[in-house]
Amino acid sequence: MRRLLVTGGAGFIGANFIHYVMAHTDFQVTVLDKLTYAGHESSLKGLPPDRLTFVHGDICDEVLVDALVAGVDAVVHYAAESHNDNSLAAPLPFLQTNIVGSYVLLEAVRKHGKRFHHISTDEVYGDLALDEPLRFTEHTPYNPSSPYSSTKAGSDLLVRAWVRSFGVEATISNCSNNYGPFQHVEKFIPRQITNIIDGIRPKLYGSGENVRDWIHADDHSAAVLLILQRGVPGETYLIGADGERNNKDVIEAILVGMGRPADAYDHVTDRPGHDLRYAIDSSKLRTELGWTPSKADFAAGLAETIHWYRDNEDWWREQKAATEAKYAAAGEQLAGAASRQGR
Ligand code: NAD
Ligand code: TDX
């Protein structure tokens, strides 16, 4: 298996995966990416041109997908509409890309008999209570909360059906929250880092007790490559690095890491349906495939990420104002301000 088609390779995790593959294998990679607001071809800058082909196109384009799948050994499917807040404002692109696009890819790998790896999320399992020791496993029932997570759950179920009904050789991985370089400034960690750089106070949704299980994108990439090479078709693997932290602790760590007082942030209106806690039990991946995270030190990873955004303003500057305008248009305001205005 030396020729990969990577969908969504100009996005955050896809780009990190391609950097990882270029550094750790001799594979040839073709990227298929629509370059939505979330895609940046510049994230692939500097990679060897003789091993990387970039195709600007849509995973819903059956003719294009068929031709590209025919020419590779395996498909790694990252392309998605990925942001929960956007899915609350406008769900339709999520159905189109995450469900119809995944269907188009599945039909192509079925026709050409190619290996498929589907990138999914822990959000398909819904959320956990704050005060329970439970974590998600491969056996946790699906219970998605948002338009985004429900379309990811739908795409996972399509993959399972294509395995069972048509014998497609597919694996699925469900990973927890990623952080690292090349992440869009709409997402929690880069939004706050770039807010602080711009002199804007960081924004914490609701009380900030919500817990996310953070993993560095490089550890996610290592796990995906391992599953592609040694995973058992038909199986699902959960990926997580035991990185549970609540949002309040993360925002305070970012502020302190950037030399600001830990309390220099604002509470803003909470996300509707905001999942409380995600937590991954990745025992299967660790025991069956021998994966361990090598960047599990969150403080070190966060410091490196802050450094990256400080050094790469050219990469994110263009997206920043439009992203903050989108949040303002969606009605984000200081917590309590809505009720004060209503009085
Ligand atoms: P992202 O939004 O940063 O990137 C998505 C990429 O897909 C972009 O380059 C975009 O241009 C491309 N794309 C969107 N629609 C397309 C289409 N119709 N055709 C072709 N390309 C299209 O997303 P991300 O955070 O890198 O997430 C990548 C994948 O990983 C997604 O499937 C997501 O569900 C999954 N995931 C993300 C996280 C996380 O923490 N970000 C965690 C677990 C799983
Ligand atoms: O400004 C903010 N303030 C805030 O408190 C933003 C943008 C977010 N938050 C909170 C909401 C979440 O509890 O931070 C947490 C993380 O938010 P996001 O970065 O939007 O991520 P999340 O909704 O947890 O989903 C992410 O992880 C799972 C990815 O965006 C998904 O693609 C992935 O499937």
Side-chain angles (χ1 to χ4, degrees):
M1 193 195 304
R2 290 195 60 252
R3 297 170 305 164
L4 299 185
L5 175 64
V6 179
T7 70
F12 162 47
I13 310 181
N16 276 287
F17 176 72
I18 293 168
H19 281 269
Y20 191 88
V21 164
M22 290 295 161
H24 293 88
T25 73
D26 62 354
F27 293 176
Q28 296 285 330
V29 175
T30 300
V31 174
L32 172 59
D33 199 295
K34 189 178 173 183
L35 297 179
T36 66
Y37 79 96
H40 301 271
E41 205 178 337
S42 65
S43 303
L44 302 172
K45 205 169 58 186
L47 293 173
D50 55 326
R51 294 177 55 202
L52 185 68
T53 306
F54 185 84
V55 179
H56 181 198
D58 192 329
I59 57 167
C60 300
D61 179 339
E62 292 176 41
V63 175
L64 176 62
V65 165
D66 185 81
L68 292 174
V69 169
V72 296
D73 305 313
V75 177
V76 188
H77 176 34
Y78 286 93
E81 286 293 338
S82 70
H83 194 39
N84 275 301
D85 292 319
N86 292 341
S87 81
L88 296 164
L92 186 57
F94 289 75
L95 275 79
Q96 185 63 22
T97 288
N98 300 0
I99 295 187
V100 176
S102 297
Y103 154 79
V104 169
L105 286 159
L106 282 166
E107 281 293 81
V109 293
R110 171 189 172 198
K111 177 176 163 193
H112 295 288
K114 301 297 168 78
R115 174 84 166 80
F116 187 71
H117 181 70
H118 180 62
I119 303 294
S120 192
T121 170
D122 57 359
E123 297 192 19
V124 300
Y125 300 115
D127 60 355
L128 300 161
L130 290 179
D131 54 358
E132 66 187 3
L134 280 183
R135 300 193 291 170
F136 300 135
T137 73
E138 287 77 5
H139 304 292
T140 304
Y142 275 36
N143 187 26
S145 313
S146 74
Y148 162 69
S149 53
S150 61
T151 59
K152 291 300 291 187
S155 64
D156 290 11
L157 298 182
L158 292 179
V159 176
R160 290 183 182 189
W162 262 243
V163 168
R164 168 118 185 212
S165 301
F166 305 123
V168 166
E169 294 217 340
T171 40
I172 300 175
S173 55
N174 298 81
C175 189
S176 59
N177 282 63
N178 284 223
Y179 74 101
F182 303 117
Q183 186 168 29
H184 195 280
V185 293
E186 70 190 355
K187 302 295 197 304
F188 181 52
I189 289 180
R191 184 181 185 203
Q192 314 314 337
I193 295 172
T194 54
N195 275 348
I196 294 168
I197 292 172
D198 279 357
I200 303 169
R201 284 165 69 88
K203 309 279 183 255
L204 188 64
Y205 292 173
S207 67
E209 283 173 311
N210 309 63
V211 170
R212 296 295 181 265
D213 188 351
W214 293 100
I215 181 172
H216 193 281
D218 281 348
D219 283 334
H220 186 183
S221 296
V224 169
L225 187 58
L226 194 60
I227 295 167
L228 197 60
Q229 294 174 314
R230 308 226 324 259
V232 178
E235 292 292 315
T236 290
Y237 300 88
L238 262 56
I239 307 173
D242 299 337
E244 280 188 71
R245 268 172 189 75
N246 74 34
N247 294 340
K248 186 170 174 293
D249 288 347
V250 173
I251 225 165
E252 289 177 2
I254 296 170
L255 279 158
V256 171
M258 297 182 73
R260 302 294 192 286
D263 62 354
Y265 62 88
D266 290 327
H267 290 271
V268 294
T269 19
D270 205 357
R271 171 185 285 170
H274 196 174
D275 279 341
L276 208 47
R277 171 174 162 253
Y278 305 140
I280 290 268
D281 176 348
S282 58
S283 306
K284 177 176 174 180
L285 180 69
R286 291 169 192 252
T287 54
E288 292 185 12
L289 301 187
W291 175 85
T292 46
S294 60
K295 290 195 161 183
D297 179 343
F298 183 74
L302 188 62
E304 183 194 289
T305 304
I306 291 169
H307 203 78
W308 189 88
Y309 281 89
R310 278 189 161 136
D311 279 359
N312 289 278
E313 189 168 335
D314 282 358
W315 183 88
W316 57 265
R317 172 55 62 201
E318 211 181 308
Q319 320 152 11
K320 182 65 183 169
T323 301
E324 290 306 314
K326 210 190 267 186
Y327 278 119
E332 181 179 273
Q333 46 191 318
L334 296 186
S339 48
R340 278 198 299 278
Q341 275 172 8
R343 268 190 255 133

